[in-house]
Amino acid sequence: MIRAYLIIALYILVPVLIIECFKRWTWMQKIGTVVAAYAVGIIFALTGFVHFEPGTAAALSFGKLQSTIMSVTVPLAIPLMLFNCDFKLWTKALPKTIWSLMAGILAVLVAVISGYFIFRTPEIANFNKIAAMMTGIYTGGTMNFNALGASLGVDKTVMAIVLAFEMVFTTPYIFFMIGGGYKFFRKILPHKDVTRKGRTDEDVESKDVENYRGMFHRRIVGGMMIGLALSILFLAIGAGLALLITGTLNELVVILTITTLSIIASFFRKVRELPKTFELGMFFILIFSVIVASLFDIHSVNGGSLMIGLFVLWVMVCAAGLHLLFCKISHVSGDLFCVSQIALLCSPPFVPPVVGAMQNKKVLISGIVIGLVGYAVGTYLGIAIALILP
């Protein structure tokens, strides 16, 4: 277990080093902290240092430890990143958020249904159930994928193949997005929502994003600790409600609760003016990013069904393309499109890293809301697809 403790220490130490480099060097500022965190995580994965022998007690124990850290860091980060957002300005973008959400869901449904008729084959039984799981995972993430697989009685081997292909195709897309792909979509969707007095979202929300200087001054540390205490309190309330309502630590209930409480708290000026809470939240996101990237396994696909792989690839590419077209027609901004994509294809926990890379806090709540709605409807849409498709 000494090796496991060393890896955990690195998960915490690496973000600290990345922040220090970000403060000191211009080249790191151009790369971005999130991209750097993912890069280090990928290096860890490729070296094999963070991987234990599959099926061993050490692998199972360490896997649970990784999952626990990931399940805590993002819920702690979300309130910290939301506290100093001005949601009076966000309400002006609500119509575009709703449209982007509906366009994204419609794009996934069209991609799944069309892909089903293109790639289904008699060699693979119950292809409609695979289509159902793809609907769930690309509107609500792995939580809905697992729920649909269990409820529809899908073979575990088939589930593993689908999930492996999904990870292989989606992971590079995430890296592309946080590595600068958002700039590409900004050019295609150059629309900006004007707030008041002609100012744009970027003018209002993006200044001083990830300004880590002075974080450890005595006066600032006190304010950050108040923000962290509130985040822990909101997480505890969310966990308590989840246990009370569902009997488990249901992620949907937890995230919905902490997001709601954080939005309410942000309307109080003293909370909104707490110093460096966004940066502290980014520290937790960097820990999450290193861990997620270190889970990448290039050998995760070991010869599964080619048709399933092509189907998964079709759904992702077709859904993204249609969503982009719909957003172009309705003048949705490039940043809102990016967080919508990540929220639907990867779930809400992946929204903050993209927001951090884009340095546009304004779209954070939009992405989380879209992801939460995806959580809520993904399973229902998947069941409907399974019943409708022959």
Side-chain angles (χ1 to χ4, degrees):
M1 287 301 293
I2 295 178
R3 179 181 165 197
Y5 292 136
L6 177 60
I7 296 171
I8 298 301
L10 286 174
Y11 283 156
I12 298 172
L13 180 61
V14 165
V16 174
L17 294 176
I18 289 174
I19 289 173
E20 285 300 315
C21 292
F22 186 84
K23 288 161 56 178
R24 295 172 182 271
W25 294 311
T26 304
W27 63 266
M28 177 61 80
Q29 295 169 10
K30 292 180 178 179
I31 293 174
T33 55
V34 178
V35 176
Y38 271 88
V40 174
I42 285 292
I43 293 172
F44 284 168
L46 294 178
T47 61
F49 178 67
V50 297
H51 295 308
F52 291 80
E53 186 67 27
T56 62
L60 295 174
S61 177
F62 186 64
K64 290 180 180 179
L65 189 56
Q66 287 175 314
S67 298
T68 300
I69 296 174
M70 288 190 294
S71 65
V72 170
T73 50
V74 171
L76 284 178
I78 288 175
L80 290 166
M81 298 176 75
L82 291 177
F83 282 155
N84 55 20
C85 292
D86 190 343
F87 292 105
K88 293 178 183 178
L89 298 177
W90 176 78
T91 56
K92 298 178 183 294
L94 183 58
K96 296 294 186 182
T97 299
I98 294 174
W99 172 257
S100 186
L101 165 65
M102 300 306 295
I105 291 177
L106 177 61
V108 170
L109 291 175
V110 172
V112 168
I113 293 173
S114 61
Y116 170 80
F117 288 105
I118 294 172
F119 297 104
R120 67 171 174 167
T121 171
E123 298 176 0
I124 302 176
N126 300 319
F127 207 83
N128 62 324
K129 295 181 179 180
I130 297 176
M133 291 191 298
M134 287 304 303
T135 303
I137 200 169
Y138 278 160
T139 54
T142 53
M143 182 180 73
N144 286 356
F145 175 87
N146 292 328
L148 285 163
S151 62
L152 295 173
V154 180
D155 182 84
K156 297 293 184 183
T157 302
V158 174
M159 289 182 63
I161 293 173
V162 175
L163 189 58
F165 275 117
E166 191 274 334
M167 291 179 64
V168 166
F169 295 140
T170 305
T171 301
Y173 188 53
I174 298 173
F175 293 158
F176 166 73
M177 196 73 82
I178 65 174
Y182 60 88
K183 297 177 183 178
F184 170 74
F185 293 117
R186 282 175 176 173
K187 291 181 179 179
I188 298 178
L189 303 172
H191 315 291
K192 294 180 175 68
D193 294 324
V194 176
T195 55
R196 52 176 178 263
K197 296 182 180 180
R199 292 183 296 174
T200 64
D201 295 344
E202 288 78 6
D203 297 327
V204 177
E205 294 290 346
S206 294
K207 61 181 181 180
D208 296 329
V209 173
E210 283 199 271
N211 183 358
Y212 296 100
R213 297 187 182 280
M215 274 187 71
F216 301 108
H217 289 174
R218 184 179 303 175
R219 178 178 58 85
I220 292 178
V221 168
M224 284 197 305
M225 290 303 100
I226 293 174
L228 179 59
L230 285 174
S231 296
I232 294 173
L233 175 62
F234 292 170
L235 176 57
I237 294 173
L241 283 177
L243 290 172
L244 183 64
I245 296 172
T246 68
T248 63
L249 291 175
N250 186 281
E251 189 174 90
L252 171 61
V253 177
V254 173
I255 292 183
L256 182 59
T257 300
I258 64 176
T259 302
T260 302
L261 292 174
S262 302
I263 293 173
I264 294 172
S266 73
F267 282 92
F268 293 91
R269 185 172 59 85
K270 289 186 176 181
V271 173
R272 198 163 59 245
E273 293 180 354
L274 287 173
K276 304 295 183 183
T277 57
F278 183 87
E279 286 74 13
L280 182 59
M282 280 301 301
F283 171 72
F284 288 113
I285 289 302
L286 294 179
I287 295 176
F288 173 84
S289 299
V290 174
I291 297 176
V292 167
S294 72
L295 296 177
F296 179 72
D297 184 2
I298 197 170
H299 304 295
S300 57
V301 178
N302 52 8
S305 170
L306 175 61
M307 296 307 288
I308 291 179
L310 292 174
F311 175 57
V312 173
L313 180 61
W314 168 269
V315 173
M316 190 189 78
V317 174
C318 183
L322 287 174
H323 192 193
L324 182 63
L325 175 62
F326 295 153
C327 288
K328 181 71 173 180
I329 294 172
S330 57
H331 294 178
V332 170
S333 71
D335 285 6
L336 180 55
F337 166 79
C338 290
V339 296
S340 302
Q341 276 278 288
I342 294 301
L344 290 173
L345 268 62
C346 306
S347 76
F350 288 86
V351 172
V354 175
V355 170
M358 296 190 302
Q359 296 194 350
N360 182 4
K361 293 184 289 183
K362 181 66 180 291
V363 295
L364 176 61
I365 183 61
S366 296
I368 292 174
V369 167
I370 288 170
L372 288 172
V373 175
Y375 270 155
V377 304
T379 302
Y380 298 105
L381 290 174
I383 293 293
I385 288 293
L387 294 175
I388 291 172
L389 294 179

